Amino acid sequence: MTGPTTDPRTTGPGLIRKTRPGGRGGAGWVRTRLRAAPLATLLSAVLVFVSVLLATALPRAVDRGADRALRAYLAEEGPERTSLTATAQTGRGRTGGDLPASLDHVLAALTAAVGPGYRLADSGPVYGVRAKDARPLTGPGLVRPSDIAPNLGLLHLPQVASHGRLVEGRWPSGGAGEGPVPVVLAKSTADSIGAKVGSVLEGTSGIAPPMSIEVVGLFAPADPSDVYWTDSTSTCLLKACLKWDKKQEKSWWDAAALVGPEGIERLAGWGTRATDFWRLPVDTGALRTDRLPEVSGQIASYVAGPTAGRLVSETGRADILITSELPKLFAAAEARRQAAAPLAAIGPAGVAGVALVVFCLAAGLTGDRREAELALLLARGGSRAGVLRRLLGEGAVTVLPAAVLAAALGVLLLPAPRPAPGLLAAGAVALAALLAFPVRAFVLLSARRAAAPRRRLVAELLVLAATAAAVAEVRRRGVAPAGAGLDPLLVAAPLLIALSGGLLLARILPPLARLAARAAGRGRGLTGFLGLARAARGSAGGARPSVLPLVALLLAVTTGGFGSAVLASVDGARLQAARGDVGGDAHVATPLGEALTPEFLRAADALPGVRSSLGVWTDRDALLTADDPTGTHVRAVVADPAAYARLSGAAGRGRFDPARLAQGGATDAAVPVLISKNLSGKDAGGEFRIHLAGGVELRARPAGLVEGTPAEPSAEAAVVVVPAWAVAARVPQAAHPNHWFALGPVDEDRLRELVRAHASASVAERTFVHTSAGVSAKLAGDPLQHAAGQLFWTSLAAAAGFALLAVLLTLVRAAPERAALLARLRTMGLRPRQGLVLVLTESLPQVLAAPLGGALTAVAAIALLGPSVDLSTLVGATVPAGLGLGLRPVLVQALGLAGLVAAAVLAEAAVNGRRQITTELRAGDRR
């Protein structure tokens, strides 16, 4: 792919005879050719280096992003769901001596069966014995909310001393007899339920004899965030849980205590049954996306396959049951990756298309420069095969070292476990670079054919037909479903649209340039007319303008615009999903039985960014009765109709016309209300009754149906929206909102500070404070989305760079002929500034029309393919399919590339034009 000029001293029959295959003459010929054009050789090597580096890096970046997304997704699920959990009934069929030794024996067998495609986390396994049921405690000094005794569960953890420290007393030991069972409690748990060291508490049971425990010590975890404690087996162990019964409006404490090895035998008596458990956490940080099928199969075998059967015989536990959520999580993670893969692949596919065009242009430029040399070699006795072999050797000296260096650098900069995809892509690019000029030379050395415009027309029609078929198929069936892998049709469709746009633009541009030339010809100056006339008929001997630079620019703008539209739609859909989840841009909800103070409402309304706000009162346990005697429990939402309608419209939940809830008619008429769809059959004769707090009964009629509402986004919830004017005077609680909604960019931290300033510590801790910006940021933090965005912007920059290079190569290819023309015109009185205007006038119609055409093809791709694109995976929430037709991202891409191209044309005309004209004037016209 070098581009040296023809030098007769480097050609001739003597040189051809000396360059037999395999001889030293071939090396001398290659060395001579490379020395003849060192700058062209260097530029070719740089082009190959950059192309191969991108080809190596992009697949490796995809693998790294997929692995990071997989590990982050599994880490969010927590260690309990990413573990292998085995359970067996205590004491049944155990081997290995006493029970503690039997636990260790089973653990050793379970650990040995792990792998080989995965490994256990360094945090280590958690195992022990737990009582099935808890018992209510009785004893002096216990805390009894709602006069309900605390419940206590018992369990044994063999390694607790290495993960916790004693605060008071001792670790439990003994207790195998008939007396109280020695236990230790977490210090926080003991403070919550009112237990102390030395307390003897009795556990009652309706189906078993009473048992008592003795608190012999208090402990604290060495590290509360240690995965050792993040398990259902230790629920309410480190901190007692305050339970709440909504129907009975009563609360009580749930807690857990630890027993020693001697107390294991008594766990079955405390909880009617005892269960041995082993939790083996899998090291999710070592998992790889490409090995998920293999690892999933191994874990399936571990859970319910050959490995599980072998473990039954090795452990001697016939009832051992092994479970894991990992296969489901693997399937979900793979579905997410495959759903995002087609959208993420559009950018790299665009880069590949533009790079291929650049290689073809570079080969064409080199062929134009060396056509006379190749013809001379053939005329002086060289065979076509021999010449091609010399060209391959010449290209190998330039391409192969640059490709090897680029591939090595890509591997070094982006470590990835799978070398094959990147190296295969690098090899394909290197092969294309190596063969580009020999293929062009083969065409030049072949017999000349007569022009065949029909062949070109047929080829263009075939491209248009393939584009129409691809678009129709994507619109008909949509994107390939999750689990089907990469959808090549969705990736190819935007590229085909861009290719078709380039072909159409190449047909349309010359007539438009001729019309512009005619208009310019009516003016007084000839420079503009001459430049437009040359643009209309091509810059090289009347040839038709080259299609390749147009295709390169259209590919870059179309893929960039389509990808930008995808990312913009993702951001918009994510914000709308966050608004729907929050109920607006900001939402504050008090715990049950509490209300927002007037001072808070005034301060919240005055926060910076609040455009509009609304206080809403909800009755979470209202009763709707019609013809059924028992009624239906619903959530009544009492709000101002007009303000709540604006909020519902902005949140996209339960939009309605506020006129439906307007006050009117007789004072004793039924109140118009909105009901959720699942209540549409509850009304009898068009009316029903709503029983609100304080014994207020409201006669109502349905004025419309809603599917979700800001105060209750769930579409499955039973909701009734009641206008505030209907209950303002009858329900005193309605004057004190327990929800506050706002629209506008509200700072979540300031809102939380405001809640803490106007509520007690216990109420503020349980107050719900969310903003759409916070939820959107959380959704956007998914590494899968981050990797897709990074890949797109990297691909966009690379595609823009290659498109710019395609324009420069086109200008360089036409530079000699243009320099000769300018030299002739200079002798006729053309001033330098007029020469610059002529060059710009000739070049800009083509290079500026391409970004405009690319913008149009990008808009066409969005309009044609957008309805079939599902963005739920990239958004992080379920959203309707489709892309928003936003012109701003497309125009930004088109105008940005147009500016770069115009600057490149101007620089090339100012720098190279003057130098080449001077050379022509000195040497004369040799053409």
Side-chain angles (χ1 to χ4, degrees), residues 30-57:
V30 169
R31 184 167 55 249
T32 303
R33 293 306 309 144
L34 296 180
R35 286 178 177 177
L39 181 59
T41 302
L42 178 62
L43 293 178
S44 297
V46 171
L47 175 60
V48 173
F49 178 85
V50 173
S51 303
V52 173
L53 181 62
L54 284 173
T56 307

Side-chain angles (χ1 to χ4, degrees), residues 298-312:
Q298 294 175 3
I299 291 180
S301 174
Y302 194 100
V303 172
T307 306
R310 189 175 72 250
L311 286 173
V312 169

Side-chain angles (χ1 to χ4, degrees), residues 67 70 117-118 287-301 326-327 329-331 333-335 337-338 418 483:
D67 289 344
L70 169 67
Y118 62 100
L287 295 176
R288 288 166 40 184
T289 305
D290 59 304
R291 291 186 177 177
L292 273 190
E294 175 188 353
V295 174
S296 183
Q298 294 175 3
I299 291 180
S301 174
L326 281 172
L329 295 179
F330 289 166
E334 182 64 13
R337 185 191 67 81
Q338 291 179 347
R418 285 200 307 164

Side-chain angles (χ1 to χ4, degrees), residues 545-706:
S546 176
V547 178
L548 291 179
L550 289 175
V551 171
L553 289 170
L554 261 72
L555 281 174
V557 177
T558 302
T559 55
F562 188 81
S564 297
V566 169
L567 295 183
S569 299
V570 166
D571 291 338
R574 185 185 295 124
L575 180 59
Q576 190 59 41
R579 275 186 165 183
D581 184 53
V582 172
D585 288 323
H587 182 194
V588 178
T590 63
L592 186 64
E594 302 291 340
L596 298 170
T597 63
E599 295 79 12
F600 169 81
L601 294 175
R602 286 193 295 270
D605 292 344
L607 282 174
V610 174
R611 294 196 303 268
S612 62
S613 60
L614 173 65
V616 175
W617 178 75
T618 64
D619 186 349
R620 306 180 186 182
D621 200 23
L623 187 68
L624 184 149
T625 59
D627 55 351
D628 51 336
T630 58
T632 302
H633 287 276
V634 297
R635 184 169 188 175
V637 179
V638 179
D640 176 71
Y644 198 67
R646 288 194 298 271
L647 179 68
S648 301
R653 296 283 186 180
R655 294 184 175 90
F656 68 94
D657 183 1
R660 293 187 175 186
L661 302 183
Q663 186 175 6
T667 56
D668 59 345
V671 176
V673 297
L674 303 175
I675 61 175
S676 54
K677 290 186 176 181
N678 51 9
L679 296 176
S680 58
K682 297 293 183 181
D683 57 313
E687 290 189 4
F688 47 76
R689 296 184 181 275
I690 305 173
H691 302 268
L692 300 173
V696 175
E697 182 180 293
L698 192 69
R699 189 161 60 92
R701 61 176 177 84
L705 301 178
V706 292

Side-chain angles (χ1 to χ4, degrees), residues 295-560:
V295 174
S296 183
Q298 294 175 3
I299 291 180
S301 174
Y302 194 100
V303 172
T307 306
R310 189 175 72 250
L311 286 173
V312 169
S313 60
E314 291 179 358
T315 61
R317 299 289 189 98
D319 64 331
I320 192 169
L321 176 64
I322 305 175
T323 60
S324 179
E325 294 289 325
L326 281 172
K328 294 181 181 178
L329 295 179
F330 289 166
E334 182 64 13
R336 294 172 72 247
R337 185 191 67 81
Q338 291 179 347
L343 302 178
I346 291 175
V351 175
V354 180
L356 181 61
V357 171
V358 169
F359 284 145
C360 294
L361 283 172
L365 173 62
T366 307
D368 291 346
R369 294 290 181 86
R370 299 181 62 178
E371 183 175 5
E373 172 196 345
L374 297 177
L376 182 60
L377 287 173
L378 199 63
R380 292 188 176 184
S383 66
R384 187 166 58 178
V387 171
L388 293 179
R389 282 196 299 269
R390 298 299 184 274
L391 295 180
L392 283 175
E394 177 185 337
V397 173
T398 304
V399 170
L400 295 184
V404 171
L405 181 60
L409 184 61
V411 171
L412 182 64
L413 294 179
L414 290 175
R418 285 200 307 164
L423 294 181
L424 287 176
V429 171
L431 184 62
L434 181 63
L435 295 179
F437 177 55
V439 170
R440 175 63 178 166
F442 178 81
V443 174
L444 292 175
L445 296 176
S446 300
R448 299 286 183 179
R449 290 185 180 183
R454 290 185 179 180
R455 272 205 303 269
R456 177 181 174 181
L457 179 61
V458 170
E460 292 175 348
L461 291 177
L462 288 176
V463 172
L464 291 175
T467 304
V471 171
E473 182 65 14
V474 170
R475 290 180 62 88
R476 183 188 68 81
R477 65 162 175 80
V479 182
L486 183 66
D487 188 351
L489 198 58
L490 181 64
V491 176
L495 305 183
L496 287 173
I497 292 175
L499 179 58
S500 299
L503 297 177
L504 290 175
L505 188 59
R507 290 279 185 179
I508 295 173
L509 190 58
L512 293 179
R514 281 194 292 270
L515 291 176
R518 290 176 185 175
R522 299 188 185 99
R524 300 178 62 181
L526 294 177
T527 305
F529 167 74
L530 183 59
L532 291 174
R534 285 176 54 79
R537 64 184 180 85
S539 59
R544 191 183 301 273
S546 176
V547 178
L548 291 179
L550 289 175
V551 171
L553 289 170
L554 261 72
L555 281 174
V557 177
T558 302
T559 55

